[in-house]
Amino acid sequence: MTVVAVLGMGLMGRAAAGRLAAAGQEVVAWNRSPEALEPLQGIDRLSATTDLAAAIAPADRVVLWLADGAAIRSVLLEGVIGALLADKTVVQMGTIAPEESRAIGAELTALGCDYYEAPVLGSIPELSAGKLLLMVGATPQQFDRDRAWLQTFGPEPLLVGPVGSAAALKLAMNQLIGSLTTAFAASLALVQREGIAVETFLQILRPSALYAPTFDKKLQRMLDRDFDRPNFPTKHLLKDLDLFTQAAGSQGIETAPVQAVRAVVERAIALGLGNTDYSALFEAIAPVTEPQP
Ligand code: NAP
């Protein structure tokens, strides 16, 4: 029986650990802060610890659901844990830059690890149901070996290319999350302020070539200004737009439109909405206006 260590019990790591245990795998869940381990008590085949060495030692696979590249470095590469990683497979599933993934991969490989990346599109509901879209940056041999295991998370993992390529594809997707959401929020705001029925707006939009399913997914939250219980928090969107800008800028791609979206995300965070759902971009685009006396 293989043992999987899942590092990072944030929104996605917790769901991933639960999914693996439900699929019959032995899981050791690790988190820096103990509070995040409390909801994991009493789950079959799952143990939880803040002791990193105890989590990694029994594991064959180490799955990373940490916030960013800096967190991965501080957990795996800046302490004394490196020696424990030899002969283990490290699977990086968070959203980091292609350059970060290549550099982390090279350092882990030098420690004797087998490293690849498998960032995802989709969030907690898709992860819990095993329906994520998995983009894999790996060798064909790593992909063939782990394909069935990766299907625990999503039905059709796709081999994109070597390490770094899937990280870049993931950033291309998340740039769309920011840009589409901002664009929809701006149009919705104008429709509302002009007194046009929202349903009329959508009756034209839905059958048109301009429609994206994410609009309907986020509509109700925007209408209700209900941004609580996030699946994907606004602060991570800011991180991903910065990573996109860095990666695209280094390829000579114009990033001015993304900078404009970034300014909206930053405004939402300044309004205290960094830890809420990213549909909160609507609040930054169309703040509630006080009725005139
Ligand atoms: P999250 O809820 O913010 O969790 C972040 C995790 O990283 C926490 O376990 C946190 O530990 C840990 N962490 C942060 N800095 C650390 C450090 N310096 N040392 C050790 N641990 C550290 O994030 P998430 O939503 O689960 O996302 C995780 C990754 O997946 C991110 O890269 C995100 O962009 C990506 N992603 C998220 C979604 C989504 O829908 N949420 C979807 C696709 C991809 P503490 O509890 O100790 O702070």
Side-chain angles (χ1 to χ4, degrees):
M1 161 87 68
T2 58
V3 176
V4 185
V6 183
L7 309 188
M9 288 298 111
L11 294 169
M12 291 297 271
R14 219 175 302 156
R19 174 81 193 160
L20 287 164
Q25 301 186 37
E26 279 304 317
V27 178
V28 189
W30 174 87
N31 203 61
R32 173 183 62 175
S33 321
E35 311 82 71
L37 300 179
E38 279 160 26
L40 296 169
Q41 302 308 315
I43 298 178
D44 282 350
R45 291 178 292 279
L46 192 152
S47 60
T49 179
T50 54
D51 181 341
L52 184 58
I56 288 177
D60 310 283
R61 279 199 187 84
V62 178
V63 179
L64 307 182
W65 276 111
L66 296 163
D68 53 23
I72 297 172
R73 284 199 165 279
S74 88
V75 172
L76 291 187
L77 294 167
E78 285 165 9
V80 293
I81 218 71
L84 279 180
L85 290 168
D87 299 328
K88 305 204 188 275
T89 296
V90 175
V91 186
Q92 197 306 105
M93 301 195 78
T95 307
I96 65 173
E99 276 315 315
E100 285 177 315
S101 189
R102 283 189 274 264
I104 288 166
E107 287 177 55
L108 287 173
T109 303
L111 292 170
C113 268
D114 172 55
Y115 172 87
Y116 68 92
E117 63 193 11
V120 307
L121 199 59
S123 193
I124 301 166
E126 292 79 16
L127 174 46
S128 301
K131 291 189 172 160
L132 288 173
L133 298 171
L134 269 80
M135 297 160 270
V136 184
T139 63
Q141 294 76 13
Q142 287 172 316
F143 183 70
D144 290 344
R145 186 196 65 206
D146 279 11
R147 189 172 181 281
W149 177 76
L150 287 167
Q151 285 177 320
T152 314
F153 301 117
E156 296 283 349
L158 191 72
L159 179 62
V160 181
V163 164
S165 61
L169 182 56
K170 169 62 179 163
L171 294 183
M173 296 298 169
N174 277 29
Q175 185 277 127
L176 286 174
I177 295 178
S179 293
L180 288 174
T181 306
T182 306
F184 179 67
S187 291
L188 177 64
L190 179 67
V191 162
Q192 282 189 314
R193 302 258 158 117
E194 286 286 345
I196 301 162
V198 170
E199 198 43 43
T200 305
F201 168 47
L202 286 155
Q203 271 174 357
I204 297 293
L205 180 57
R206 280 194 193 109
S208 79
L210 303 174
Y211 178 71
T214 186
F215 299 160
D216 265 311
K217 242 178 154 178
K218 294 299 168 186
L219 175 66
Q220 201 56 48
R221 275 183 176 274
M222 290 184 186
L223 293 178
D224 298 344
R225 294 181 188 264
D226 168 17
F227 312 123
D228 291 341
R229 307 169 309 283
N231 287 333
F232 181 56
T234 312
K235 66 179 180 191
H236 283 333
L237 186 55
L238 184 73
K239 160 184 78 75
D240 295 350
L241 292 176
D242 283 343
L243 294 176
F244 177 90
T245 302
Q246 194 187 316
S250 73
Q251 297 283 3
I253 295 165
E254 176 57 72
T255 59
V258 185
Q259 291 303 314
V261 172
R262 184 193 192 280
V264 175
V265 178
E266 218 174 14
R267 203 171 314 141
I269 292 172
L271 291 170
L273 299 168
N275 286 316
T276 68
D277 186 84
Y278 66 91
S279 50
L281 298 193
F282 185 62
E283 193 65 36
I285 293 266
V288 177
T289 47
E290 293 299 323
Q292 296 302 311

